[in-house]
Amino acid sequence: MTTFKKRHRLVPRISGQTYLWLAILIFGASSAVTRKLTEIGAQHFVGGRNPISLCNVLFVGNLCALILMSLIYRKQWNKAILQRLSKQDWISLTAVAILSGALAPGLIFQALALTKVNNVILIGRIEPPLTLVLSVWLLKERISIWDFMGAIAAFIGVTLTIVLQPLQKSMVSMGGLHLGLGELLVALGSVAVAISTIISKKYFSQIPLGVSSIFRTGLGTIIFFFTALILYGRDHFADIFSPFLWKWMFLYGGLIVVIGQSFWNKGLQNSTVSKASLIGSFTPIVGIIAAYLILGEVPTMAQYIGASLIVAGIFLSRIEKASQKFHKKVALSEITSAQAEKEVEMGMGFKGI
């Protein structure tokens, strides 16, 4: 009987890690899958337009995510909780929705149309070190020497990935440097996410995760929709109800949004902070492998150099957390708070929604 109970107690921990790994495989492949969908749409034009445009994918994907979040967090979205939110809370929620719900995804999806998926994945890794710097500067947080060294390595890796790119048509000149427009958009999107993360850290401690997630996705989707109409014209979403689009979006939404997010939430419920954070740090590696398998994208020399430094930075930053786990067992607690979940997800990058 004792042996059976011990085995029973081990099952949730093991299955939690398995769920996280499955989620990372899905999230890591999201950029490559998004690009592949637009290529499929380009082969089936409707009225001279690509029905699976990046804007359509982002808009419909966010709608799928919004439906899923409403089901998961429906208990948190109630009148009593909403009435407790202060004016400062609503201002912070709105700022984060604009930055990470509308601006950042719009820039990243536009970048996917202009540069290689590997560039989007690698340059997007500038977000964690930038968030670290802003946390020290604005929030007065203390960091370890390993976090600092990891941030420096990742920043150098991202910089080399941008600077060592071969000359392309879509390049802009800045201070004598020729930078790819797509790469620049990814960097700007990452800056927007980093700023929104700082706002979240400072003002979201008392805001339930479900409220912030639903509000950010909902308002961000609305802002993105009307901004796209203003920039590209009222016919920009003319194919939003195309059966061909929805056929593929059910696959995209079902796999990446529903299954991916469900696996991630299930894994977080039965995993420790340290294990979830470590597994999440493999997202860019999975993304590069997925770009090769799905799109046949072979990494360039600039990407090899940049990726090596970025991966080194990721594991340097893990040394301090591993030390804490060994000496203090701080990382052994399960993920139960919204703040802990946000901390884990901060280092993952783009998840497809």
Side-chain angles (χ1 to χ4, degrees), residues 134-211:
L134 292 176
S135 296
V136 174
W137 178 33
L138 298 176
L139 304 181
K140 309 303 179 185
E141 291 186 358
R142 292 185 177 183
I143 62 172
S144 69
I145 185 63
W146 295 110
D147 282 330
F148 176 75
M149 291 173 62
I152 292 296
F155 181 79
I156 294 174
V158 171
T159 302
L160 291 178
T161 302
I162 296 174
V163 173
L164 298 179
Q165 289 294 317
L167 291 176
Q168 307 169 31
K169 291 182 179 179
S170 58
M171 279 193 157
V172 294
S173 181
M174 296 181 64
L177 291 175
H178 295 283
L179 305 177
L181 181 57
E183 289 80 356
L184 186 60
L185 292 178
V186 177
L188 291 175
S190 299
V191 170
V193 173
I195 295 173
S196 74
T197 301
I198 297 301
I199 296 174
S200 300
K201 280 188 172 187
K202 186 171 180 62
Y203 298 109
F204 279 22
S205 60
Q206 302 301 318
I207 301 177
L209 180 63
V211 173

Side-chain angles (χ1 to χ4, degrees), residues 64-269:
C64 294
L66 191 59
I67 294 171
L68 176 64
M69 289 177 187
S70 299
L71 294 174
I72 295 174
Y73 300 117
R74 62 185 181 277
K75 292 183 180 179
Q76 295 182 16
W77 194 266
N78 61 66
K79 187 177 180 180
I81 291 178
L82 296 179
Q83 285 179 337
R84 289 202 298 266
L85 299 181
S86 65
K87 182 179 179 181
Q88 179 63 64
D89 290 334
W90 287 112
I91 293 174
S92 302
L93 284 167
T94 302
V96 169
I98 293 172
L99 290 169
S100 66
L103 180 60
L107 291 172
I108 292 172
F109 268 68
Q110 185 61 38
L112 282 170
L114 298 172
T115 188
K116 292 185 176 181
V117 169
N118 284 337
N119 286 336
V120 174
I121 294 170
L122 294 176
I123 296 171
R125 299 308 300 170
I126 198 175
E127 177 204 334
L130 182 58
T131 302
L132 200 66
V133 171
L134 292 176
S135 296
V136 174
W137 178 33
L138 298 176
L139 304 181
K140 309 303 179 185
E141 291 186 358
R142 292 185 177 183
I143 62 172
S144 69
I145 185 63
W146 295 110
D147 282 330
F148 176 75
M149 291 173 62
I152 292 296
F155 181 79
I156 294 174
V158 171
T159 302
L160 291 178
T161 302
I162 296 174
V163 173
L164 298 179
Q165 289 294 317
L167 291 176
Q168 307 169 31
K169 291 182 179 179
S170 58
M171 279 193 157
V172 294
S173 181
M174 296 181 64
L177 291 175
H178 295 283
L179 305 177
L181 181 57
E183 289 80 356
L184 186 60
L185 292 178
V186 177
L188 291 175
S190 299
V191 170
V193 173
I195 295 173
S196 74
T197 301
I198 297 301
I199 296 174
S200 300
K201 280 188 172 187
K202 186 171 180 62
Y203 298 109
F204 279 22
S205 60
Q206 302 301 318
I207 301 177
L209 180 63
V211 173
S212 62
S213 298
I214 293 174
F215 187 86
R216 179 192 63 206
T217 305
L219 182 58
T221 302
I222 293 171
I223 293 173
F224 169 78
F225 179 78
F226 285 104
T227 302
L229 290 180
I230 294 171
L231 293 176
Y232 303 114
R234 62 181 183 178
D235 295 329
H236 190 64
F237 291 102
D239 301 310
I240 198 68
F241 296 109
S242 167
F244 185 78
L245 167 67
W246 280 93
K247 179 180 70 174
W248 285 102
M249 286 311 300
F250 274 125
L251 174 64
Y252 178 91
L255 178 63
I256 294 178
V257 179
V258 178
I259 297 178
Q261 195 64 39
S262 297
F263 281 169
W264 181 249
N265 291 337
K266 183 68 174 177
L268 289 180
Q269 292 171 7

